[in-house]
Amino acid sequence: MAKRLVIANWKMNGSLALADEMVAGFAAQSNVDVIVVPPAVFVSRLIERAQGSFEVGLQDVSQFDNGAHTGDVSASMAADLGATAAIVGHSERRDEHGESDAVIAAKALKALAAGLMPVICVGESLAERESHQAEARVRAQIEAQIDCLALSGDIAIAYEPLWAIGTGKSASAAEAVAMLKEIRKVLREVAADRADQIRILYGGSVNGENIAGLFSHEEIQGVLVGGASLDTEQFAAIIRAAEKAGPV
Ligand code: PEP
């Protein structure tokens, strides 16, 4: 059995005040792993103040070790600070920064090598879903991670359909579960020996109201929460729901 995993992705939001509010309002639950992922500039503050009550991650890491890459942060720098995870391949990075599956695979490898858990985001656009390409798109995104999947070290996959991110329109539990089952199937094909140890999360307009329905399905082993994670009370409700739902 694995603990459910709840990840807060602040995106380019938040402040030192929110970091402190998150720490003050945090109530750890024994059956839930929580990772808060603020903008990189707030990572140190959260790590220092959280004192291990929750983990802290990065929203992205470089595909390089170091050097002339202005604005980038390497996985080993993040690990040095005490971060434990890195989101890679978020659709906003894919869209706004033109990140390809190959670049994302390189980033996931750097994260793993530095001892961070890569949280690899996959998901289809609305056009891909409507043209029945969703499964093929997600399969290709996972197959691109084959080198990373061949290594040991904790990895999570977050299924985030683009049409559900930040739109207030979550995928239905049935839609999410169907794709999560498909992802598990692909993992078993490409990484048979460790496929069942990889936690698969859902992300896309998760909030305090729809979380119980999502967590009533054992396939949803965790959630990646954007907007609702900025509201400390709502985020706490999501963590409580994970505890109530129990391990998977
Ligand atoms: C996300 O950014 O990963 C996300 C799922 O955002 P939201 O919850 O706001 O849809």
Side-chain angles (χ1 to χ4, degrees):
M1 287 290 219
K3 290 184 182 183
R4 295 210 199 215
L5 176 57
V6 175
I7 304 180
N9 175 16
W10 288 9
K11 312 193 186 198
M12 200 173 74
N13 295 299
S15 58
L16 288 178
L18 180 65
D20 292 349
E21 190 188 319
M22 180 70 64
V23 173
F26 185 75
Q29 304 286 340
S30 49
N31 281 316
V32 188
D33 288 331
V34 177
I35 306 176
V36 178
V37 187
V41 290
F42 300 134
V43 164
S44 284
R45 171 75 153 235
L46 268 176
I47 290 174
E48 279 161 25
R49 302 265 164 120
Q51 297 275 314
S53 57
F54 55 78
E55 294 178 39
V56 181
L58 273 281
Q59 295 178 10
D60 178 52
V61 286
S62 174
Q63 67 270 42
F64 305 110
D65 287 324
N66 50 48
H69 307 291
T70 302
D72 286 352
V73 172
S74 76
S76 58
M77 291 169 187
D80 238 7
L81 284 179
T84 58
I87 297 173
V88 295
H90 192 283
S91 59
E92 288 150 17
R93 303 270 337 157
R94 291 178 189 263
D95 287 354
E96 294 176 13
H97 299 267
E99 291 186 7
S100 65
D101 285 342
V103 165
I104 293 156
K107 291 181 172 205
L109 280 171
K110 290 294 180 200
L112 259 189
L116 306 179
M117 175 179 74
V119 179
I120 302 168
C121 297
V122 299
E124 81 285 359
S125 66
L126 185 58
E128 285 164 340
R129 174 155 284 257
E130 287 177 346
S131 59
H132 308 288
Q133 296 297 309
E135 289 183 0
R137 178 70 187 116
V138 170
R139 170 179 282 273
Q141 289 170 329
I142 292 173
E143 286 176 348
Q145 302 297 327
I146 194 139
D147 292 343
C148 185
L149 292 168
L151 299 174
S152 57
D154 210 3
I155 295 176
I157 305 277
Y159 168 56
E160 298 209 307
L162 274 63
W163 44 272
I165 297 179
T167 59
K169 183 187 180 306
S170 170
S172 68
E175 286 167 326
V177 166
M179 188 60 89
L180 266 51
K181 282 183 173 168
E182 181 63 21
I183 291 172
R184 183 72 67 200
K185 190 174 128 204
V186 177
L187 287 175
R188 286 180 181 149
E189 285 170 25
V190 300
D193 53 335
R194 65 179 317 215
D196 290 348
Q197 276 79 58
I198 295 173
R199 282 181 286 187
I200 309 179
L201 323 180
Y202 167 74
S205 298
V206 171
N207 57 42
E209 290 185 0
N210 58 23
I211 190 65
L214 292 165
F215 273 154
S216 66
H217 300 269
E218 63 180 7
E219 290 83 359
I220 301 181
Q221 296 175 304
V223 284
L224 181 48
V225 188
S229 72
L230 299 168
D231 176 334
T232 48
E233 283 182 20
Q234 210 174 152
F235 189 57
I238 292 169
I239 295 168
R240 283 196 302 275
E243 175 73 9
K244 194 165 171 210
V248 278

